Amino acid sequence: MNGLAAYASQDQNSRGRRFAEAPPDYRSEYQRDRDRIVHSAAFRRLEYKTQVFVNHEGDLFRTRLTHSLEVAQIARTVARSLSLNEDLAEAIALAHDLGHTPFGHAGQDALNHCMRPYGGFEHNAQSLRVVDELEDKYAAFRGLNLSFETREGILKHCSLKRARALGDVGQRFIRKQQPGPEAQLANVADEIAYNNHDVDDGLRARLLSIEQLRQVPLFARHHDLVLRTHSGLSPKQERHETIRRMINTLVTDLTEHTRARLARLKPGHPDEVRAMPRPLVGFGDEVQAENLELKRFLREQLYRHHQVYRMTVKAQRVVKDLFGALQADPRLLLPEFFVQAEIAAREQGARGCARVVADYIAGMTDRYAIDEHERLFDPRRLR
Ligand code: MG
């Protein structure tokens, strides 16, 4: 007995790895996945990638690395409390953003636009591509050779066309099934983490104010509570005390409602969780509605903020310029990417070459992309 519930993913019911490997000696299969993710180059680069704020704007804001750690922390807490597989939830959480382009969603949209004639670009599918294909340092296989369940969790959404090309992990999108329970958990933990840290970063960047945020019931409720309980707080304490209560409310609600569904539906195997018509892991209706209001607020007030918009347009221009120049003349790529582009062009024509350029750009950090743009376009830069 390892203390896991019957509905949890376990080594013995894993669908295994693409290339068979001997079981690890002293770790679980999912611990091995997590360790490979932490040691990957793409994971290290998360430190210099951001979602809303561009990396050089300040060291105070979340990066994709600290975001991924926050997601892992939330996912582990809930996994342990529900006797789910904590190692698997952690592995998925740490890997879920590995495919993100520089400049967050602005970069992803721009690259998708450039790649439209060649099959498109989607950061979530790219995360899977990073662990399946692009990390290249093991002698016996390409990628990190992660277990099915970790790969399934990384691929959160997927078009039918892409799903057909993906094989095993694409199947659930064709059959309209749910992912395993730890994947569902990592997905909700992602949402809890980014909504709350975007409130925090938005306030600290002065793009949002407390008064504005009080339109959001989830915020107002906890802010009132903080003001009733304490007096003479500094703005930093007031902000933090409110946000930590919001996170606690969301995590508690998620845990309790998921526990109640587990008790009612009694799944005896993770495949029973996959076969359910709706996700098993989630908030109750009330908190779900409050969470949606918070998301709507952030979309309108933060992600579409004038200052964020200007940065978004600049970021998109950088990505489009890079793609245009590198695709038109792949000799401008780093030599190792040029070799790959030539091979890909021979095998798959323009589509193959464009994919190598997209992989190269997607792998860039924010500051590398800005620097590379300068190197390519500023004639005063020699190298
Ligand atoms: Mg995320």
Side-chain angles (χ1 to χ4, degrees):
M1 263 311 280
N2 53 12
L4 297 182
Y7 49 76
S9 301
Q10 310 217 29
D11 283 11
Q12 55 281 13
N13 58 31
S14 170
R15 293 188 208 171
R17 299 171 191 276
R18 297 208 291 174
F19 304 91
E21 291 185 64
D25 292 329
Y26 50 87
R27 296 175 289 181
S28 72
E29 295 284 358
Y30 305 120
Q31 279 181 293
R32 172 148 74 181
D33 283 359
R34 177 204 56 205
D35 297 349
R36 286 183 181 177
I37 291 158
V38 169
H39 288 275
S40 71
F43 186 72
R44 287 193 295 279
R45 287 198 293 257
L46 293 176
E47 185 177 1
Y48 300 105
K49 294 191 183 199
T50 43
Q51 6 207 26
V52 182
F53 305 89
V54 168
N55 189 260
H56 68 262
E57 279 179 352
D59 298 339
L60 298 168
F61 302 120
R62 264 67 170 192
T63 67
R64 286 218 180 262
L65 181 64
T66 58
H67 162 69
S68 300
L69 295 175
E70 289 182 24
V71 177
Q73 177 267 311
I74 292 169
R76 285 182 57 178
T77 299
V78 179
R80 195 183 298 184
S81 136
L82 295 175
S83 304
L84 283 167
N85 195 313
E86 190 177 331
D87 298 331
L88 174 58
E90 182 184 22
I92 296 168
L94 292 177
H96 84 283
D97 270 352
L98 289 179
H100 253 289
T101 59
F103 315 126
H105 289 283
Q108 120 95 29
D109 293 346
L111 199 51
N112 185 34
H113 179 84
C114 298
M115 283 296 287
R116 210 161 275 154
Y118 315 107
F121 179 91
E122 208 277 305
H123 68 84
N124 190 226
Q126 188 73 2
S127 294
L128 187 67
R129 188 166 157 76
V130 166
V131 301
D132 279 356
E133 311 275 341
L134 298 180
E135 283 287 326
D136 175 26
K137 57 186 177 184
Y138 291 86
F141 44 77
R142 278 233 303 270
L144 303 178
N145 199 30
L146 303 181
S147 58
F148 171 86
E149 293 72 24
T150 303
R151 298 172 57 239
E152 172 195 45
I154 291 173
L155 193 66
K156 278 191 279 198
H157 35 78
C158 182
S159 68
L160 267 187
K161 195 168 157 215
R162 218 190 288 274
R164 287 194 194 96
L166 278 174
D168 56 359
V169 280
Q171 281 303 311
R172 79 176 161 94
F173 298 97
I174 297 165
R175 294 191 196 137
K176 303 211 182 324
Q177 284 199 319
Q178 310 301 327
E182 291 82 2
Q184 295 183 23
L185 169 57
N187 191 15
V188 186
D190 183 24
E191 232 184 77
I192 296 174
Y194 70 67
N195 286 330
N196 285 282
H197 65 52
D198 285 353
V199 169
D200 192 28
D201 284 349
L203 282 169
R204 292 188 308 153
R206 297 181 204 283
L207 298 177
L208 301 175
S209 67
I210 295 268
E211 294 65 47
Q212 256 180 312
L213 266 158
R214 288 191 54 87
Q215 302 162 22
V216 182
L218 186 69
F219 186 92
R221 184 151 68 85
H222 292 95
H223 187 236
D224 283 341
L225 192 67
V226 169
L227 296 185
R228 269 206 309 275
T229 319
H230 302 282
S231 57
L233 293 180
S234 70
K236 192 199 280 182
Q237 289 170 327
E238 189 179 318
R239 185 178 74 230
H240 178 70
E241 286 294 335
T242 306
I243 293 170
R244 79 183 185 93
R245 281 171 173 77
M246 280 165 52
I247 297 176
N248 188 54
T249 292
L250 292 164
V251 170
T252 304
D253 185 87
L254 170 67
T255 309
E256 282 172 4
H257 279 90
T258 305
R259 199 191 302 284
R261 277 179 219 117
L262 283 165
R264 184 156 40 85
L265 300 166
K266 298 186 180 50
H269 190 281
D271 281 347
E272 290 176 31
V273 177
R274 290 187 174 91
M276 290 177 181
R278 282 159 43 98
L280 175 97
V281 180
F283 302 118
D285 291 342
E286 243 169 82
V287 166
Q288 169 77 356
E290 280 193 325
N291 189 52
L292 281 176
E293 283 204 57
L294 172 62
K295 283 174 75 144
R296 193 179 318 125
F297 172 87
L298 286 170
R299 197 170 49 237
E300 284 162 12
Q301 306 296 326
L302 181 63
Y303 310 143
R304 291 183 191 154
H305 190 284
H306 171 70
Q307 225 169 298
V308 173
Y309 177 73
R310 278 173 63 105
M311 196 61 229
T312 299
V313 172
K314 271 192 279 189
Q316 290 184 335
R317 192 176 301 135
V318 169
V319 169
K320 284 181 188 167
D321 285 352
L322 287 174
F323 186 89
L326 296 168
Q327 194 210 11
D329 186 357
R331 237 173 248 281
L332 294 172
L333 289 162
L334 288 179
E336 53 174 297
F337 280 92
F338 175 56
V339 172
Q340 285 175 33
E342 277 201 313
I343 297 169
R346 247 194 326 271
E347 288 170 0
Q348 306 157 50
R351 199 185 175 85
C353 177
R355 185 59 60 188
V356 174
V357 172
D359 287 340
Y360 177 57
I361 294 174
M364 293 178 182
T365 60
D366 296 4
R367 61 184 187 176
Y368 185 90
I370 293 168
D371 210 41
E372 181 76 340
H373 188 266
E374 236 182 64
R375 279 193 294 261
L376 279 173
F377 290 95
D378 185 345
R380 287 165 300 189
R381 282 287 298 263
L382 294 176
R383 51 195 179 99

